[in-house]
Amino acid sequence: MPERPRTHPRLHRPVRDKGPLRYFLLHKPYGTLCQFTDEGGRPTLQSIFPIADMYPCGRLDTDSEGLLLLSNDGVFQTRIASPSSKLWKTYWVQVEGEPSRESLEKFCNGLEIEGVMTLPARARRMKAAPDIQERVPPIRVRKNIPDTWIEVQLREGRNRQVRKMTAAIGHPTLRLVRAAIGEFFLDGMPAGDWREIVVLDGKKYSE
């Protein structure tokens, strides 16, 4: 009887024992599902990433953009996706209004979201908008209400956490771009682009 493929307990999909381990960076565009199939016909990773048998390391909301890691290495996937790893994830966030320094300091102390305190995070106002493409479709613009880019760094990944945190300080998120996961960076890749990297012992070695 042929041996059944092992299934990773967290990812619930086969972990392949044969073939080289491969690692990729991808800039997920706005509106693209973080999966390869969708019965409703919505845009998925399959439309922009052609390498078979690779899987996302963690999630990124459909209405969020930015860095996504893909691999066929189950151990690496767990390291990236597991909350116990506490990897710092960096987000560029365009918010409505102009947050004060005091408001952003609340991120550092933790915010109560749905009755649970977040882990201490990092937040700062960016001196200028990041060098990224305009979103398609563009964000909604409200006359006479300014917007601000802030950088937020988290070590946890609750559902829509960044959006809930900016809302909690009175500055709704207009656009959210993940710029880094640990030592892996977006590095100016345009939306929809991807590149293969070399990873040794779970850490980026070269591109």
Side-chain angles (χ1 to χ4, degrees):
M1 183 175 179
E3 183 180 358
R4 297 181 61 186
R6 294 182 298 115
T7 300
H8 192 279
R10 289 184 61 85
L11 301 174
H12 304 292
R13 55 176 171 261
V15 177
R16 297 178 179 272
D17 293 314
K18 296 182 179 180
L21 299 178
R22 301 180 70 184
Y23 310 86
F24 297 87
L25 307 178
L26 181 142
H27 184 163
K28 188 191 83 67
Y30 176 88
T32 300
L33 295 177
C34 193
Q35 58 196 53
F36 282 90
T37 60
D38 179 61
E39 294 180 356
R42 294 172 293 178
T44 67
L45 298 177
Q46 190 172 26
S47 64
I48 56 175
F49 185 76
I51 310 299
D53 299 324
M54 299 293 144
Y55 300 95
C57 305
R59 308 290 297 177
L60 190 58
D61 291 334
T62 304
D63 56 353
S64 298
E65 315 158 59
L67 183 63
L68 187 66
L69 299 174
L70 298 102
S71 179
N72 59 349
D73 182 344
V75 174
F76 177 77
Q77 290 169 335
T78 299
R79 172 180 172 263
I80 297 299
S82 174
S84 62
S85 296
K86 290 185 170 54
L87 283 178
W88 285 103
K89 297 179 175 66
T90 302
Y91 298 86
W92 295 331
V93 192
Q94 189 176 13
V95 299
E96 190 173 274
E98 298 178 299
S100 65
R101 179 179 296 179
E102 292 74 21
S103 293
L104 295 180
E105 286 177 352
K106 294 179 182 179
F107 282 70
C108 304
N109 299 322
L111 284 164
E112 185 174 336
I113 304 295
E114 298 174 345
V116 180
M117 294 296 295
T118 64
L119 292 177
R122 301 167 180 165
R124 68 176 182 90
R125 185 167 177 166
M126 301 177 71
K127 294 181 179 179
D131 186 16
I132 54 176
Q133 298 166 285
E134 292 294 324
R135 200 185 76 178
V136 180
I139 66 165
R140 58 182 173 83
V141 177
R142 300 176 64 180
K143 292 183 178 180
N144 303 320
I145 299 181
D147 58 77
T148 305
W149 280 95
I150 63 174
E151 182 181 86
V152 176
Q153 294 181 305
L154 305 177
R155 290 185 298 163
E156 57 183 340
R158 303 186 200 174
N159 183 43
R160 301 181 73 79
Q161 181 173 344
V162 174
R163 285 183 169 82
K164 291 175 181 177
M165 292 177 79
T166 66
I169 63 169
H171 297 277
T173 291
L174 302 174
R175 186 179 181 187
L176 194 153
V177 181
R178 186 159 65 194
I181 303 172
E183 68 269 30
F184 302 94
F185 298 90
L186 198 57
D187 283 338
M189 282 194 301
D193 197 10
W194 57 271
R195 66 180 63 142
E196 187 164 10
I197 58 174
V198 176
V199 172
L200 297 176
D201 297 325
K203 295 186 177 181
K204 183 177 178 182
Y205 177 69
S206 67
E207 298 182 5

